[in-house]
Amino acid sequence: MSTKKDKSGPCPCGQPSFEKCCGRFITGGQVPATAELLMRSRYSAFALRDEAYLRATWFPDTLPEEELTSETDVKWIGLDIKKHQHASGSDEATVEFVARFKVGGKAHRLHEISNFVRQPDGSGQARWYYVDGRFPED
């Protein structure tokens, strides 16, 4: 189930325009050119509970079977990209981020270093996929 998003409003990832930021990827109009753009759009997809986009952008070998957006009491409230590492010509990248969210009115934060890989999709177009992540010690 997807939650509808006002295309003229701000993006859940913190940028001023959903349509010009993550909306262009989530609606399928464009493919994120970097792992950082994919990370931002995946955060927005979590905020919007867009299960289909999250599954389509997760590397098939590590994609969990369970529903990704089943936690209806989570309210995503902010994203801070700390670092994006991608060596020129490489098909691997990492993005370190802190995502803030609330559950039952209580604030939490998720600090993760995510791994991404770029490979051709079914139509042969190269695209980034989320593989997995680890939680650094704060």
Side-chain angles (χ1 to χ4, degrees), residues 34-119:
T34 66
E36 180 181 349
L37 289 173
L38 178 60
M39 177 63 241
R40 286 185 173 283
S41 66
R42 285 179 52 81
Y43 171 87
S44 293
F46 270 110
L48 299 171
R49 300 191 56 212
D50 191 323
E51 182 80 18
Y53 184 78
L54 291 167
R55 290 192 162 289
T57 58
W58 201 309
F59 188 64
D61 292 353
T62 59
L63 177 65
E65 291 183 19
E66 67 270 5
E67 186 178 347
L68 303 170
T69 59
S70 61
E71 297 176 357
T72 58
D73 57 345
V74 175
K75 177 176 173 47
W76 296 96
I77 56 174
L79 176 67
D80 182 20
I81 302 290
K82 299 287 189 186
K83 188 186 308 181
H84 173 222
Q85 292 183 303
H86 174 236
S88 181
S90 172
D91 288 328
E92 296 179 358
T94 60
V95 178
E96 181 177 357
F97 69 92
V98 174
R100 296 182 321 280
F101 62 99
K102 287 186 177 182
V103 177
K106 184 176 178 187
H108 301 273
R109 45 182 265 145
L110 170 71
H111 183 187
E112 181 175 311
I113 299 174
S114 298
N115 298 304
F116 294 86
V117 64
R118 182 174 48 198
Q119 69 176 27

